[in-house]
Amino acid sequence: MDSRTEQLQQNLAAVVERIQRACESAGRTEQPELIVVTKYFPAADVRRLHSLGVTQLGENKDQEAAEKAAETADLQLDWHFIGQLQSNKAKSVARYASAVHSVDRLKLVGALEKAVTRAQAEGHRSGELDCLVQVDLRTPTPEDARGGAAPGQVPAIAEAIAAADGLHLAGLMAVAPLEENPEAAFQRLVELSEQLRTEHPEATALSAGMSQDLEQAVACGATHLRIGRDVLGERPYAR
Ligand SMILES: *Cc1c(COP(=O)(O)O)cnc(C)c1O
């Protein structure tokens, strides 16, 4: 095992232990899914992570994700797209992603439906695309809301996903706002999720929790954690 793999193994073990401890404190028996966010790190690290048993990877830019997915096409991996997505990138994302956590507007739902249907017809994908509605948890929702829908828009976007061919409404995603206690913000996400599930009981996914707030996310019932820095280390250059 090379030294980078050893380092990743140690970091991963520490993160898994934090998740287990957080689950115990919260009295949770079901563990959340750990998605390791490999943005800014090379495909070689994806291979190392795979050799350590990691199969769920997260990326936030289409070009970088598409390249890494192509370089690791021989491995059984699930790619979760977690970044802002322009409609014209839907076609590319539909070819490699198993989930998009960042669906934040109706136009993108239409683009993803078209892209997935085409990718299936052309033999580039078999299953449906899991879609999570990304919510902007800042209050009040700023005018310039980008990277997340206002809470009031969630029902319409969810409805459109549920009605679309090839898309599966999986649940909700959010990033905790910087200026607030993450637990308070995640609690609003939980309430939105409860409302959503009265109409769409299948939409159980709650994608919340990054390196700095995974404990709070687990306490709020997150089903998917998106962890980058605490597994891979500081990113090579600032985001
Ligand atoms: C980069 C990123 C993460 C991972 O964040 P870390 O602080 O590195 O754990 C999670 N979610 C999103 C949307 C991201 O862009």
Side-chain angles (χ1 to χ4, degrees), residues 122-136:
E122 292 174 353
H124 292 299
R125 77 174 295 127
S126 48
E128 294 193 312
L129 179 69
D130 281 343
C131 290
L132 287 76
V133 182
Q134 183 178 353
V135 188
D136 188 332

Side-chain angles (χ1 to χ4, degrees), residues 103 133-138 147-151 154 172-175 189 192:
V103 182
V133 182
Q134 183 178 353
V135 188
D136 188 332
L137 290 177
R138 293 175 294 174
V154 170
L172 300 179
M173 181 274 239
V175 175
L189 186 67
L192 286 168

Side-chain angles (χ1 to χ4, degrees), residues 129-172:
L129 179 69
D130 281 343
C131 290
L132 287 76
V133 182
Q134 183 178 353
V135 188
D136 188 332
L137 290 177
R138 293 175 294 174
T139 49
T141 310
E143 278 300 323
D144 68 334
R146 286 211 66 195
Q153 297 170 339
V154 170
I157 299 170
E159 200 55 55
I161 294 169
D165 281 333
L167 307 186
H168 169 70
L169 177 65
L172 300 179

